[in-house]
Short mmCIF file of all heavy atoms in Angstrom, two decimals:
data_model
loop_
_atom_site.label_atom_id
_atom_site.label_comp_id
_atom_site.label_asym_id
_atom_site.label_seq_id
_atom_site.Cartn_x
_atom_site.Cartn_y
_atom_site.Cartn_z
N LEU B 138 76.03 60.95 101.08
CA LEU B 138 76.22 59.56 101.49
C LEU B 138 77.66 59.20 101.20
O LEU B 138 78.14 59.38 100.07
CB LEU B 138 75.30 58.63 100.71
CG LEU B 138 73.79 58.86 100.89
CD1 LEU B 138 73.01 58.01 99.90
CD2 LEU B 138 73.36 58.56 102.30
N GLY B 139 78.36 58.73 102.19
CA GLY B 139 79.74 58.37 101.95
C GLY B 139 80.25 57.51 103.07
O GLY B 139 79.75 57.56 104.20
N SER B 140 81.22 56.68 102.74
CA SER B 140 81.75 55.83 103.78
C SER B 140 83.19 55.46 103.45
O SER B 140 83.70 55.78 102.38
CB SER B 140 80.90 54.59 103.93
OG SER B 140 81.22 53.96 105.15
N PHE B 141 83.81 54.80 104.40
CA PHE B 141 85.19 54.35 104.18
C PHE B 141 85.19 53.29 103.10
O PHE B 141 84.18 52.70 102.77
CB PHE B 141 85.75 53.79 105.48
CG PHE B 141 85.67 54.79 106.61
CD1 PHE B 141 84.88 54.54 107.71
CD2 PHE B 141 86.34 55.99 106.52
CE1 PHE B 141 84.79 55.46 108.72
CE2 PHE B 141 86.26 56.91 107.53
CZ PHE B 141 85.48 56.66 108.64
N GLY B 142 86.37 53.06 102.57
CA GLY B 142 86.48 52.06 101.53
C GLY B 142 86.44 52.69 100.16
O GLY B 142 86.56 53.91 100.00
N GLU B 143 86.22 51.86 99.21
CA GLU B 143 86.38 52.29 97.81
C GLU B 143 85.13 52.92 97.23
O GLU B 143 85.20 53.68 96.29
CB GLU B 143 86.76 51.07 96.95
CG GLU B 143 88.04 50.38 97.38
CD GLU B 143 89.28 51.07 96.83
OE1 GLU B 143 89.45 51.06 95.60
OE2 GLU B 143 90.06 51.62 97.62
N SER B 144 83.97 52.57 97.77
CA SER B 144 82.74 53.04 97.14
C SER B 144 82.70 54.56 97.09
O SER B 144 82.86 55.21 98.12
CB SER B 144 81.53 52.56 97.95
OG SER B 144 81.57 51.18 98.04
N PRO B 145 82.48 55.11 95.90
CA PRO B 145 82.46 56.57 95.80
C PRO B 145 81.29 57.15 96.58
O PRO B 145 80.19 56.60 96.57
CB PRO B 145 82.29 56.84 94.31
CG PRO B 145 82.65 55.57 93.64
CD PRO B 145 82.33 54.46 94.60
N ALA B 146 81.55 58.24 97.24
CA ALA B 146 80.49 58.92 97.98
C ALA B 146 79.65 59.74 97.01
O ALA B 146 80.05 59.97 95.88
CB ALA B 146 81.12 59.83 99.01
N SER B 147 78.47 60.12 97.45
CA SER B 147 77.65 60.93 96.57
C SER B 147 77.02 62.09 97.33
O SER B 147 76.73 61.97 98.52
CB SER B 147 76.55 60.07 95.93
OG SER B 147 75.62 59.67 96.91
N ILE B 148 76.87 63.17 96.62
CA ILE B 148 76.16 64.30 97.20
C ILE B 148 75.14 64.76 96.17
O ILE B 148 75.46 65.00 95.02
CB ILE B 148 77.14 65.43 97.62
CG1 ILE B 148 76.37 66.62 98.17
CG2 ILE B 148 78.06 65.85 96.50
CD1 ILE B 148 77.25 67.55 98.97
N VAL B 149 73.89 64.75 96.57
CA VAL B 149 72.79 64.98 95.64
C VAL B 149 71.88 66.06 96.20
O VAL B 149 71.52 66.03 97.37
CB VAL B 149 71.95 63.69 95.45
CG1 VAL B 149 70.89 63.91 94.39
CG2 VAL B 149 72.83 62.52 95.10
N THR B 150 71.52 67.00 95.35
CA THR B 150 70.51 67.98 95.75
C THR B 150 69.15 67.32 95.64
O THR B 150 68.80 66.78 94.59
CB THR B 150 70.58 69.22 94.85
OG1 THR B 150 71.91 69.68 94.84
CG2 THR B 150 69.66 70.30 95.34
N ILE B 151 68.39 67.33 96.71
CA ILE B 151 67.11 66.62 96.66
C ILE B 151 65.92 67.56 96.67
O ILE B 151 64.79 67.12 96.53
CB ILE B 151 67.00 65.61 97.82
CG1 ILE B 151 67.09 66.31 99.18
CG2 ILE B 151 68.02 64.50 97.69
CD1 ILE B 151 66.69 65.41 100.32
N GLY B 152 66.14 68.83 96.81
CA GLY B 152 65.01 69.74 96.74
C GLY B 152 65.24 71.00 97.53
O GLY B 152 66.36 71.29 97.96
N GLY B 153 64.18 71.75 97.69
CA GLY B 153 64.29 73.02 98.41
C GLY B 153 63.15 73.17 99.39
O GLY B 153 62.10 72.54 99.24
N VAL B 154 63.40 73.99 100.39
CA VAL B 154 62.38 74.21 101.42
C VAL B 154 62.20 75.71 101.59
O VAL B 154 63.17 76.47 101.56
CB VAL B 154 62.83 73.57 102.76
CG1 VAL B 154 62.01 74.12 103.92
CG2 VAL B 154 62.71 72.07 102.71
#
Side-chain angles (χ1 to χ4, degrees):
Chain B
L138 298 172
S140 195
F141 304 116
E143 301 277 295
S144 303
S147 68
I148 178 162
V149 185
T150 307
I151 60 168
V154 164

